[in-house]
């Protein structure tokens, strides 16, 4: 029997992670049209508001109800502004494992929102959903995303050589594929021990501009 993620909201000191809704369409489209998002994800460029609406109204609900994953809007608690996305995918309910990824909007980088949102999602998965493993994949040159993984306690397990397709923009404005490696990270429940204290000791989440 397929399990599914609940329709939930996760709160931190600064953020609220919730289901995407149609009011997010303009901000989601603007975020996904960013150069760095285009470089490190397979989001089509340019990214239209119609594509954002399809993601919100069709793709995300289908993934959740089918048990494959979960898409959460990352919003600021005080302003309710959309500042990012956390996505769970390739979920295996028998193994209790899922793959986590994150994107932070260009207008919100440098605040540590990726690590704060990723850590909150991991805590919820382990404590409330009884998951046993979270996996992250970061492109070999995406050092900011790797810093997020390290900051929340992930352990690097190895490299998938030539397994990632990144993108670069040519002088005439075209996007072309660029093959690179994936670094594989894992997070287990015991890896979170002391992570919150370590973040407090280093001044919280605001030490680098994080995005995926």
């Amino acid at each position: 029997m397929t399990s599914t993620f609940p329709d939930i909201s996760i709160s931190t000191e600064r953020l609220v992670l919730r289901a995407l809704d149609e009011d997010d369409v303009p901000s989601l489209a603007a975020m996904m049209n960013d150069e760095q998002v285009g470089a490190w994800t397979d989001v089509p460029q340019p990214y239209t508001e119609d594509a954002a609406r399809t993601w919100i109204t069709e793709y995300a609900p289908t993934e959740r109800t089918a048990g494959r994953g979960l898409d959460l809007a990352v919003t600021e608690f005080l302003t309710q502004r959309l500042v990012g996305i956390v996505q769970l995918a390739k979920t295996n309910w028998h193994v209790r494992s899922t793959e986590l990824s994150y994107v932070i909007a260009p207008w919100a980088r440098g605040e540590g929102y990726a690590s704060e949102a990723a850590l909150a999602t991991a805590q919820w998965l382990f404590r409330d959903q009884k998951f046993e493993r979270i996996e992250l994949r970061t492109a070999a040159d995406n050092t900011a995303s790797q810093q997020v993984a390290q900051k929340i306690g992930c352990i690097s397990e190895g490299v998938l050589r030539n397994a990632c397709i990144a993108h670069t923009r040519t002088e005439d404005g075209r996007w072309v594929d660029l093959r690179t490696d994936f670094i594989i990270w894992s997070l287990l429940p015991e890896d979170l021990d002391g992570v919150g204290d370590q973040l407090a000791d280093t001044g919280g989440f605001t030490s680098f501009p994080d995005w995926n």
Side-chain angles (χ1 to χ4, degrees):
M1 180 178 178
T2 301
S3 297
T4 60
F5 290 111
D7 185 5
I8 51 89
S9 175
I10 302 170
S11 297
T12 71
E13 183 179 347
R14 302 185 298 168
L15 302 173
V16 176
L17 283 64
R18 56 158 175 81
L20 290 157
D21 63 45
E22 288 200 62
D23 289 341
D24 297 319
V25 166
S27 295
L28 181 61
M31 178 170 63
M32 292 300 164
N33 273 310
D34 176 66
E35 286 281 320
Q36 295 182 4
V37 174
W40 297 117
T41 75
D42 284 328
V43 172
Q45 298 293 327
Y47 194 80
T48 66
E49 290 197 1
D50 284 343
R53 186 172 291 103
T54 298
W55 182 355
I56 291 169
T57 62
E58 299 179 21
Y59 176 79
T62 299
E63 289 295 287
R64 187 183 71 80
T65 56
R68 290 188 292 264
L70 182 66
D71 297 79
L72 294 173
V74 180
T75 64
E76 288 178 328
F77 176 75
L78 292 178
T79 66
Q80 300 184 28
R81 178 178 65 160
L82 183 73
V83 295
I85 297 290
V86 167
Q87 186 173 51
L88 304 177
K90 301 176 184 177
T91 304
N92 185 321
W93 290 95
H94 177 65
V95 179
R96 308 299 287 189
S97 173
T98 192
E99 184 177 316
L100 183 149
S101 60
Y102 33 80
V103 173
I104 297 298
W107 53 84
R109 292 178 188 146
E111 299 296 331
Y113 286 155
S115 50
E116 186 169 343
L119 179 60
T121 303
Q123 291 170 332
W124 172 74
L125 282 167
F126 291 147
R127 295 172 186 174
D128 294 359
Q129 299 299 300
K130 309 303 179 186
F131 271 59
E132 295 293 337
R133 175 181 168 88
I134 298 171
E135 185 173 298
L136 288 78
R137 298 187 177 199
T138 63
D141 294 327
N142 192 346
T143 55
S145 189
Q146 293 161 27
Q147 287 176 306
V148 174
Q150 291 172 322
K151 197 158 192 179
I152 66 172
C154 292
I155 303 299
S156 175
E157 293 185 332
V159 176
L160 294 179
R161 296 184 303 160
N162 216 29
C164 174
I165 297 180
H167 310 91
T168 187
R169 193 187 285 275
T170 62
E171 291 184 0
D172 62 3
R174 294 179 299 110
W175 285 100
V176 296
D177 292 349
L178 179 68
R179 296 201 72 96
T180 186
D181 300 336
F182 262 137
I183 299 176
I184 305 299
W185 306 81
S186 68
L187 190 67
L188 306 183
E190 57 266 30
D191 296 330
L192 290 185
D193 292 345
V195 169
D197 295 337
Q198 292 170 14
L199 288 168
D201 291 341
T202 58
F205 296 93
T206 56
S207 62
F208 53 85
D210 41 26
W211 49 278
N212 187 35

